[in-house]
Amino acid sequence: MELGDSAAVIPDSFMGYRDDITTQMTMILDQIRAPLIVPVLRLGVYICLTMSLMLFVERVYMGIVISLVKLFGRKPEKRFKWEPMKDDIELGDSVYPMVLVQIPMYNEREVYQLSIGAACGLSWPSDRIVIQVLDDSTDPTIKDLVEKECNRWASKGVNIKYEIRDNRNGYKAGALKEGMKKSYVKSCDYVAIFDADFQPEPDYLWRTVPFLLHNPKLALVQARWKFVNSDECLMTRMQEMSLDYHFTVEQEVGSSTYAFFGFNGTAGIWRISALSEAGGWKDRTTVEDMDLAVRASLKGWKFLYLGSLKVKNELPSTFKAYRYQQHRWSCGPANLFRKMALEIMTNKNVTLWKKVHVIYSFFMVRKIVAHIVTFIFYCVILPATVLVPEVSVPKWGAVYIPSIITLLNAVGTPRSLHLMVFWILFENVMSLHRTKATFIGLLEGGRVNEWIVTEKLGDLKAKSATKTPKKFSFRFGDRIHVLELGVGMYLFFVGLYDLFFGKNHYYLYLFAQAIAFFIAGFGQIGTFVPNS
């Protein structure tokens, strides 16, 4: 008997049984293919095409609006009154509003000095500003370091308060809420909020406070984020492309049209009376900033986005940290929409068009449809049509619309246009987590209130000064990510089928996307450093 003779090793009865099972499975699939698989897949295609059109129209609309804003020069100073602050000899410093600066932090060993130092360096009359450090740290060593840093600045004459709690109830929202209860806050007119990795320039208050002072219906002035580590690795470059579009287009369009946009949770300054009228900070979702913004807008308050004012901050530079951040940013808005949809529809303080904008454009298209269609359509439905040739996707839906959407998204970061292909693959990988988080938020699943603070690395320029720039590196992540590997295997299998038997010719895209999911599955996104 030869080892290669399978018939001699495996009994004929078993071989026949296996062939029978294979035949039966094939027959079952053939029988349900026409009455079940084809109609369901065709329905999925129609739904995804509808969502793609919704996203396409929204992107084109925002592209037109931002073009008109730039063309006609609708600068903030033309839409809202702005005059520089002037000294008054008789009144002295009392002519300046009292400003509270809040810095919430949690075990921020790498960045606490940067944020506290930047806040204490803000140019404003010293008796008209209070720096409030809200430290929820659980590490005693870090707590001591933060307290000593606050004492160091206090010894220089800075009015800085170090505040702690005996719990972390409500996470960031809970800390901000407790901070607003302090007796010295009662004398404050405005509150500026900076996360622990944010470093405002000294003139931040001089450029924002006059808007609030001269426009009594203005509740919020939001500055733009400036990323100090965007060149750290390929993953940070991809994040920069996505966030630049958010700030360059989405925030600007919302500010210019309906004077409404989502508060970014940091680098913004609020009118305290507006914050209080809206109900203050609530911890019912993981997007307490967006929650406050929507409630304040429903009270009739207006917001201003100041794109010319930039505040330095840090992007997540590890895939693990970015996954947690994106879960929170995707789950929270979906959950907030579930909780506030009826309240928005029945509100009587805002116009019908603003309600439509908030419900349809802000929530439905940008926070729900954009995540779901990216993953379900391009990573599930479109590949499935390769296996079921009876169902086809029109070229305008498979190629033209996504190409235009991609180009419109890329306008915010012209320097990274050559990385567009990598950005598409990266966004499709992340859409898996965003879609999962969106459904958790809509259905209030188990991780709906999960809050994991994004890891920060601090002064990267100082740290990298002693290192040799790397072109390529490879390291295994903290663990294998099964979901990414599963999707990667599915796309790779479909790509092989399309290469040898299919007629759609999607295999190049399928192979590239499969590789991207495999890289993510082994925790390797972010290990490649772009040359420019």
Side-chain angles (χ1 to χ4, degrees):
M1 179 180 69
E2 295 184 8
L3 293 177
D5 191 356
S6 62
V9 177
I10 303 174
D12 292 340
S13 58
F14 182 83
M15 293 288 288
Y17 178 74
R18 186 193 66 178
D19 293 340
D20 289 342
I21 291 293
T22 304
T23 303
Q24 290 176 12
M25 289 296 295
T26 304
M27 290 177 61
I28 292 173
L29 288 175
D30 289 339
Q31 289 177 358
I32 66 173
R33 186 186 187 95
L36 181 62
I37 295 178
V38 172
V40 169
L41 185 57
R42 187 169 285 133
L43 177 63
V45 169
Y46 291 153
I47 293 174
C48 288
L49 286 175
T50 301
M51 290 193 292
S52 292
L53 285 171
M54 292 168 63
L55 187 59
F56 172 73
V57 171
E58 178 70 10
R59 290 291 189 266
V60 171
Y61 159 74
M62 288 193 292
I64 293 173
V65 172
I66 197 65
S67 298
L68 293 175
V69 169
K70 300 297 183 183
L71 181 63
F72 293 102
R74 282 177 54 83
K75 296 182 178 180
E77 295 81 0
K78 292 183 178 181
R79 290 182 283 122
F80 292 93
K81 183 179 179 181
W82 188 91
E83 294 179 0
M85 301 292 297
K86 297 179 180 179
D87 293 331
D88 191 301
I89 299 177
E90 296 182 0
L91 297 176
D93 286 346
S94 62
V95 72
Y96 295 93
M98 193 74 179
V99 178
L100 172 70
V101 178
Q102 290 185 311
I103 311 175
M105 58 176 59
Y106 173 76
N107 293 338
E108 307 287 2
R109 180 188 293 271
E110 301 294 339
V111 295
Y112 73 93
Q113 288 180 308
L114 294 173
S115 57
I116 293 174
C120 292
L122 287 170
S123 175
W124 200 252
S126 59
D127 60 339
R128 306 300 293 170
I129 185 172
V130 182
I131 311 297
Q132 186 185 67
V133 178
L134 304 167
D135 189 11
D136 272 1
S137 299
T138 53
D139 187 324
T141 303
I142 298 177
K143 263 190 172 182
D144 290 341
L145 291 172
V146 175
E147 186 174 12
K148 288 179 181 178
E149 183 69 10
C150 292
N151 292 335
R152 187 174 74 85
W153 282 101
S155 66
K156 296 181 178 182
V158 175
N159 187 5
I160 184 169
K161 309 290 184 181
Y162 176 70
E163 306 289 357
I164 60 174
R165 302 188 291 164
D166 57 5
N167 60 70
R168 288 193 67 214
N169 294 341
Y171 303 110
K172 179 181 174 181
L176 293 171
K177 187 176 182 179
E178 286 297 314
M180 295 300 294
K181 293 180 180 179
K182 303 301 177 181
S183 58
Y184 53 84
V185 175
K186 295 179 181 178
S187 62
C188 296
D189 302 292
Y190 311 121
V191 55
I193 302 166
F194 300 101
D195 282 351
D197 59 315
F198 278 72
Q199 305 164 56
E201 297 295 331
D203 65 347
Y204 177 89
L205 295 177
W206 295 109
R207 296 177 64 180
T208 55
V209 169
F211 281 110
L212 295 168
L213 188 64
H214 298 301
N215 301 276
K217 289 303 294 179
L218 196 60
L220 165 69
V221 179
Q222 172 73 58
R224 180 173 175 169
W225 298 1
K226 180 181 179 181
F227 313 113
V228 298
N229 66 328
S230 58
D231 292 328
E232 176 72 6
C233 60
L234 186 59
M235 189 183 73
T236 53
R237 285 289 288 271
M238 302 300 99
Q239 292 177 67
E240 181 191 39
M241 292 180 71
S242 298
L243 288 171
D244 274 354
Y245 177 82
H246 168 69
F247 285 107
T248 303
V249 180
E250 290 182 343
Q251 297 294 74
E252 190 69 70
V253 168
S255 177
S256 301
T257 53
Y258 296 95
F260 167 78
F261 50 83
F263 172 43
N264 293 120
T266 177
I269 181 168
W270 279 87
R271 186 186 302 274
I272 291 181
S273 59
L275 192 154
S276 300
E277 185 184 343
W281 295 104
K282 293 186 178 181
D283 59 4
R284 56 182 174 175
T285 71
T286 56
V287 283
E288 73 294 323
D289 43 14
M290 187 181 296
D291 190 345
L292 174 61
V294 174
R295 284 184 281 113
S297 179
L298 294 180
K299 292 290 184 179
W301 289 98
K302 296 180 179 181
F303 305 157
L304 172 64
Y305 171 68
L306 204 57
S308 59
L309 179 61
K310 300 179 181 180
V311 179
K312 292 186 290 186
N313 72 296
E314 182 181 325
L315 292 165
S317 55
T318 67
F319 186 48
K320 179 181 178 181
Y322 188 56
R323 288 171 84 244
Y324 283 131
Q325 183 199 69
Q326 291 302 296
H327 173 85
R328 189 171 75 246
W329 286 6
S330 303
C331 178
N335 190 233
L336 181 63
F337 177 67
R338 172 191 171 111
K339 295 179 184 297
M340 292 201 68
L342 184 61
E343 181 181 348
I344 297 170
M345 288 187 286
T346 57
N347 183 273
K348 297 181 180 179
N349 295 324
V350 297
T351 64
L352 175 63
W353 287 114
K354 190 166 187 177
K355 291 181 185 179
V356 172
H357 171 72
V358 174
I359 291 176
Y360 177 79
S361 296
F362 183 75
F363 275 114
M364 280 294 296
V365 178
R366 300 182 203 171
K367 309 301 180 186
I368 297 176
V369 167
H371 301 327
I372 293 175
V373 73
T374 303
F375 177 68
I376 299 296
F377 190 27
Y378 302 116
C379 299
V380 179
I381 297 293
L382 190 63
T385 60
V386 174
L387 304 176
V388 185
E390 295 93 329
V391 180
S392 61
V393 178
K395 186 173 290 187
W396 60 264
V399 179
Y400 300 146
I401 282 184
S403 297
I404 295 173
I405 291 175
T406 300
L407 289 172
L408 291 173
N409 279 339
V411 297
T413 316
R415 79 184 187 102
S416 296
L417 286 175
H418 63 291
L419 299 173
M420 191 182 299
V421 172
F422 297 102
W423 178 77
I424 294 171
L425 300 176
F426 174 74
E427 283 293 292
N428 286 349
V429 169
M430 294 311 303
S431 69
L432 165 63
H433 302 288
R434 292 170 183 150
T435 299
K436 178 184 174 184
T438 298
F439 281 117
I440 290 175
L442 289 173
L443 303 176
E444 293 204 326
R447 294 176 59 197
V448 67
N449 289 317
E450 179 184 77
W451 182 288
I452 297 177
V453 176
T454 305
E455 179 187 13
K456 304 170 187 73
L457 301 179
D459 192 348
L460 295 168
K461 289 185 178 180
K463 292 178 181 179
S464 62
T466 58
K467 295 182 180 180
T468 303
K470 54 184 180 178
K471 300 296 182 181
F472 171 83
S473 65
F474 187 83
R475 65 180 182 272
F476 284 97
D478 294 328
R479 63 184 178 88
I480 290 176
H481 306 297
V482 178
L483 279 178
E484 286 92 334
L485 293 177
V487 176
M489 289 296 295
Y490 164 69
L491 294 172
F492 187 75
F493 168 76
V494 176
L496 286 176
Y497 183 89
D498 192 33
L499 176 63
F500 293 108
F501 309 107
K503 299 179 180 179
N504 292 327
H505 305 299
Y506 295 149
Y507 55 86
L508 289 178
Y509 158 72
L510 293 168
F511 288 146
Q513 192 63 69
I515 292 172
F517 272 103
F518 287 145
I519 292 173
F522 289 108
Q524 295 305 303
I525 286 185
T527 61
F528 300 91
V529 180
N531 293 323
S532 61

